[in-house]
Amino acid sequence: MFDSYEPYQVKTLGESADFNEVNLKKITDCINDVLKAEAPVSVKLLAKKVCSCWDITRMTAPVKSVFDTALATADAETVTHGENDYVWMKGQERDSYDICRTVGNDSERRDIADIAPEEIGVGIKRIMARQVAMTRDDLLRETAHLFGYTRMSAALETAVALGIKSAKNRGWIAFDEDGRIVSC
């Protein structure tokens, strides 16, 4: 029912001094490789994985400039939800996206802000397929648990709220007259 999250395996592609516009094609190819393994993914996580391939641990202004230039030429499109940007491969349809990658083990758990609301929405759809109705708080906890979290936080609540909005917009859930969430 759920796919397991398999992170991109970072491999060394050069030294930090090589992360420049001269190597833009190589950096763009790396972005595309990460996207093939992980899209949709937050820009923040994508940048971290790409920079790790050049042994870069800090996103300085010059590094960000090169990354942004490479991202603009990659086979990708960026979408903003709330305060986060997510990168999708060109050809991935957000409106028909139906994959939910849950945590395989704790070392592979993604930060909730790195998971696109559309993917969280798919998880909500699958949770609600087993339920008649749930309170918002119960759905928040179940969704957090699905992605490997045991405690709620403000960031977690915000991300799941965006997932609820995505699931509602896609017609998978609705709110009844008592404010409970019901499956459609």
Side-chain angles (χ1 to χ4, degrees):
M1 182 176 231
F2 297 102
D3 294 324
S4 183
Y5 170 67
E6 299 293 333
Y8 173 78
Q9 297 303 310
V10 174
K11 52 189 168 251
T12 303
L13 296 175
E15 297 176 4
S16 59
D18 299 326
F19 198 86
N20 55 47
E21 292 191 7
V22 172
N23 292 310
L24 207 54
K25 180 173 179 356
K26 192 173 184 180
I27 297 166
T28 302
D29 289 345
C30 180
I31 289 171
N32 289 331
D33 289 345
V34 174
L35 290 175
K36 284 176 192 159
E38 296 205 24
V41 62
S42 71
V43 170
K44 181 185 84 176
L45 182 58
L46 176 64
K48 180 180 176 184
K49 293 207 177 213
V50 170
C51 288
S52 291
C53 292
W54 276 267
D55 201 27
I56 298 170
T57 56
R58 233 178 87 231
M59 182 70 83
T60 62
V63 168
K64 182 175 178 351
S65 176
V66 170
F67 175 80
D68 289 345
T69 301
L71 181 58
T73 62
D75 294 330
E77 64 178 296
T78 304
V79 177
T80 301
H81 290 289
E83 297 178 6
N84 296 319
D85 295 327
Y86 300 92
V87 184
W88 293 73
M89 287 187 332
K90 285 186 180 165
Q92 264 186 318
E93 296 293 328
R94 290 188 315 276
D95 293 336
S96 60
Y97 189 77
D98 200 27
I99 298 171
C100 178
R101 300 167 293 172
T102 60
V103 65
N105 63 47
D106 282 344
S107 67
E108 296 175 355
R109 183 178 79 182
R110 296 175 282 176
D111 185 305
I112 195 69
D114 293 329
I115 305 171
E118 293 85 352
E119 185 170 352
I120 295 171
V122 173
I124 290 168
K125 171 188 170 188
R126 294 183 182 169
I127 290 168
M128 292 306 299
R130 301 182 307 232
Q131 304 290 329
V132 174
M134 293 181 92
T135 65
R136 183 179 186 278
D137 288 345
D138 287 342
L139 182 57
L140 286 170
R141 277 191 298 279
E142 285 290 321
T143 306
H145 181 72
L146 178 66
F147 289 99
Y149 293 88
T150 55
R151 290 196 175 122
M152 291 303 296
S153 68
L156 193 57
E157 190 168 340
T158 299
V160 175
L162 288 170
I164 290 171
K165 181 179 178 184
S166 174
K168 184 177 183 301
N169 289 344
R170 292 177 75 181
W172 294 336
I173 61 170
F175 294 90
D176 69 10
E177 61 277 349
D178 297 328
R180 295 179 306 165
I181 299 169
V182 295
S183 183
C184 294

